[in-house]
Amino acid sequence: MPLDPTRVGTVTGPRTVTWTDKDSLLYALAVGAGQDDPLAELAFTTENSEGVAQQVIPSFGVVLSVDGGLPDVGDFDPARAVHAEQEFEVDGPLPAAGTAHVTTTVTEIWDKDPHALLWTESELVDAATGKRLMRSRLGGFFGGAGGFGGERGPSATWTAPEREPDLEIDFASRPDQALLYRLTGDRNPLHADPAFAARGGFERPILHGMCTYGWVARLLTNHLAGGDASRLRSMAGRFTRPVLPGDLLRLLVWTDGGAGLFRVLTPSGDVVLDRGRFGLRSS
């Protein structure tokens, strides 16, 4: 069941997405805000704390941009389709509630015979002002959906600096984290249904890659931007290994002025989120 490379250039939308402060607060909880100390991240987890204005973790915009799922790109086995890479760039702080128009374009379909890699790019535009809020690029890996005679595509390069990280943070989700994160919109049964997960070759449901990704966005905001979500301008990463809810992970960060690199490892050194890079705005 191969993907259809003629779908490159297909544009869907604009479609309308609306969210409330309840949605942005739920997202913050779903990526671990307040888990270690319920009083430490009130700007992400509450909307009515005295002297604290609600902020939105920037990666929440990715959730909004993928609302409605992927465009029609051909036939594939959903049990073998996984989120492989994710990039975003925000133009400013995301509103805690609002309405936006989302337009998505299929930009690339690469033949990794017998598999396939697809890239889409979405723009999130504020419905009230017409200003762009975010550009988001999603890379999807489709097992068994290659072999259609297309190009393999470029091979990205990424090398960790040959020095000790500037920041190391250990973190772990809860055993029920995937059940919480799925309420932000990604109801893929791969993260909840044991039978469906087994079809994909997993012994049990796995954690959403975007949960780990959002966790990293939150940690970068807190540790490098002083908790000011408006300062995290961009972030990218590639998912390389499944994570189970409750797994202990370690974030390694190398900073270079207003930008930096990162990766996420298991305690044994296996990489689960790689090719990480981010950009910060000055305070």
Side-chain angles (χ1 to χ4, degrees), residues 22-282:
K22 181 178 179 180
D23 298 313
S24 49
L25 293 169
L26 175 61
Y27 177 79
L29 296 174
V31 297
Q35 183 170 292
D36 295 330
D37 180 354
L39 303 183
E41 299 176 87
L42 295 178
F44 298 145
T45 59
T46 65
E47 80 292 347
N48 58 357
S49 292
E50 183 176 352
V52 179
Q54 185 185 350
Q55 297 187 58
V56 178
I57 298 170
S59 50
F60 175 60
V62 176
V63 173
L64 300 176
S65 69
V66 299
D67 180 65
L70 288 172
D72 181 9
V73 292
D75 296 324
F76 59 90
D77 181 351
R80 301 183 67 190
V82 296
H83 198 155
E85 301 186 51
Q86 181 62 53
E87 305 174 3
F88 74 76
E89 182 176 3
V90 287
D91 294 346
L94 296 174
T99 298
H101 301 309
V102 183
T103 302
T104 299
T105 303
V106 179
T107 58
E108 301 151 65
I109 298 180
W110 303 117
D111 190 351
K112 305 291 186 180
D113 191 11
H115 312 302
L117 183 66
L118 171 144
W119 279 95
T120 63
E121 182 168 310
S122 298
E123 287 200 340
L124 191 70
V125 176
D126 189 281
T129 66
K131 294 181 179 180
R132 192 181 75 167
L133 298 173
M134 166 182 275
R135 180 182 66 87
S136 173
R137 277 177 49 82
L138 181 154
F141 177 85
F142 295 79
F148 48 80
E151 296 182 15
R152 285 189 60 83
S155 297
T157 59
W158 187 101
T159 303
E162 296 183 358
R163 59 181 175 85
E164 290 298 308
D166 299 297
L167 183 66
E168 295 188 31
I169 306 172
D170 290 338
F171 65 96
S173 61
R174 293 160 46 105
D176 60 351
Q177 202 75 44
L179 300 180
L180 176 60
Y181 187 87
R182 70 191 297 270
L183 299 181
T184 67
D186 186 347
R187 301 292 184 95
N188 187 336
L190 179 64
H191 307 293
D193 180 359
F196 191 92
R199 283 180 51 199
F202 302 106
E203 62 182 31
R204 55 181 296 188
I206 63 175
L207 186 64
H208 304 71
M210 281 304 298
C211 182
T212 303
Y213 186 94
W215 212 291
V216 171
R218 180 177 62 82
L219 292 175
L220 292 176
T221 298
N222 285 336
H223 289 269
L224 298 179
D228 182 353
S230 69
R231 291 189 56 204
L232 183 60
R233 176 178 53 81
S234 63
M235 180 174 149
R238 180 182 68 148
F239 308 110
T240 57
R241 182 180 291 267
V243 172
L244 295 177
D247 280 354
L248 177 65
L249 300 174
R250 173 168 292 181
L251 170 64
L252 307 181
V253 181
W254 295 267
T255 59
D256 183 12
L261 303 175
F262 70 86
R263 66 177 12 155
V264 178
L265 314 172
T266 66
S268 62
D270 294 325
V271 180
V272 301
L273 184 55
D274 203 10
R275 298 182 185 172
R277 61 185 188 276
F278 63 91
L280 296 173
R281 293 185 178 88
S282 59

